Amino acid sequence: MKFLIIGDVVGRPGRNTLFKYLEKRRQDYDFIIVNGENSAGGFGINVKIAKEMFERGADVITLGNHSWDKREIYSYINEQKNLIRPINFTKEAPGNGYTIVEKNGIKVAVINAQCKVFMPPIACPFLAVEEVLPKIKEETDIIVLDFHGEATSEKQAMGWNLTGRVSAVYGTHTHTQTADERILPGGTAYISDIGMTGGHDGILGMNRRESIQRFKDGMPTRYSVCEENLRINGIELEVNEKTGKAVSIKRVNMEYDEI
């Protein structure tokens, strides 16, 4: 089973890059996961964008610390089970932290969790994932985790904690693709961060000028989305559909004109 997993989509430039790629290549994949937490102007996701991502080929959309930046998503996330937010958000929060999707007769579980280190205060992601894993495994061994956070140490710890029990652990949030993709003992694919889809000549997908000025003067500023050097980042993942073990993991890093 071949997965396409796309790193944080930033604003309209990121969406346009993603949609161009899916238009040409979606038929090459059996299952597509997109992190959409920055897809609406760089902060959050709205209903229109989520629906368009699903229409263009996304099977599951994951989120992160910007999940609630657009209020209209509060009710929609309860209606759309394949739009998920971090599982270690408070239980009173809207939506769910994982979903199980049956496609072509095969069930795939996708879990979303958020790191604690250098992130807003949140419940333990390790305990939250451990709590639901036995229930998920009653239905499928094909399980992938979007682990959204800053620290590579925390992400590596989650990879080793789950090795042999899930198909893949991949990081999102830093918007910087790492080069440490590998298959851990036990058949779990791992990478610390799959990167960002959008303008790569800015700073984390936003224009340079505002970001640099904020570092210089420390004053609040309104960020705008970068449109320079558009790239798509993510991974291609192959999983044995009978065992749930990862067969291969490969980075995706393409310029807009190469798509």
Side-chain angles (χ1 to χ4, degrees), residues 1-63:
M1 190 174 195
K2 190 170 185 179
F3 289 76
L4 173 67
I5 305 176
I6 298 298
D8 305 50
V9 176
V10 181
R12 184 183 299 275
R15 300 197 308 271
N16 290 342
T17 305
L18 169 66
F19 296 153
K20 181 181 180 183
Y21 188 92
L22 292 179
E23 181 181 0
K24 293 191 175 184
R25 299 170 183 263
R26 62 182 286 188
Q27 69 278 0
D28 297 337
Y29 305 99
D30 301 304
F31 203 92
I32 298 172
I33 305 169
V34 177
N35 187 289
E37 72 134 12
N38 297 120
S39 56
F43 301 95
I45 189 171
N46 61 38
V47 174
K48 180 181 178 181
I49 290 171
K51 288 183 175 179
E52 187 171 16
M53 285 184 175
F54 285 127
E55 289 168 0
R56 298 290 189 106
D59 293 294
V60 174
I61 301 171
T62 56
L63 299 174

Side-chain angles (χ1 to χ4, degrees), residues 92-105:
E92 284 71 31
N96 296 294
Y98 77 91
T99 186
I100 298 176
V101 180
E102 184 169 348
K103 190 173 182 185
N104 300 323

